Amino acid sequence: MKNFIRGIVLFGAGTILMSATLLAAAIYATSAESWSGNSKVGSVLFSGNYVNSEPLLLGFPFVVGVLLFVFGATIIGAEWYKEWLNEADAKLEKLKSETPHES
């Protein structure tokens, strides 16, 4: 149960950090006059070249948010799988004990 809670906390922190970073990049992208690459938001996130504006350096917090999100999801998935496996083993043992044995 402790690992499940840790996973939820990491998952939530990653979600909040990614969302805040993407929101800041989207808001800042509206005022960027030019950008490098295929998208304004991607350029703002990962320090593209701008004309008359300062880079926000949002790439590091975005990557940290993605990592927290992935680690949290992995922990939640592993704990869910362990619980599911234990329930399946218990059902199998119950079925084995209920069936009559011939001697």
Side-chain angles (χ1 to χ4, degrees):
M1 187 68 178
K2 285 183 183 180
N3 285 339
F4 191 72
I5 293 172
R6 288 179 188 145
I8 290 173
V9 168
L10 288 176
F11 187 81
T15 302
I16 291 170
L17 189 58
M18 279 192 321
S19 300
T21 306
L22 283 174
L23 183 63
I27 290 171
Y28 189 72
T30 59
S31 66
E33 296 172 4
S34 68
W35 66 92
S36 62
N38 293 333
S39 82
K40 269 188 177 182
V41 175
S43 181
V44 169
L45 277 175
F46 298 109
S47 302
N49 297 326
Y50 310 112
V51 176
N52 297 330
S53 44
E54 293 290 324
L56 291 180
L57 303 174
L58 293 174
F60 180 73
F62 181 73
V63 170
V64 169
V66 169
L67 289 175
L68 289 173
F69 182 85
V70 169
F71 289 151
T74 303
I75 291 171
I76 291 170
E79 289 299 314
W80 173 81
Y81 182 72
K82 285 179 190 175
E83 184 178 321
W84 177 79
L85 206 57
N86 288 338
E87 287 177 9
D89 287 342
K91 285 181 183 178
L92 185 62
E93 288 300 321
K94 183 180 177 186
L95 283 175
K96 283 182 181 179
S97 67
E98 289 178 354
T99 58
H101 295 288
E102 293 182 18
S103 307

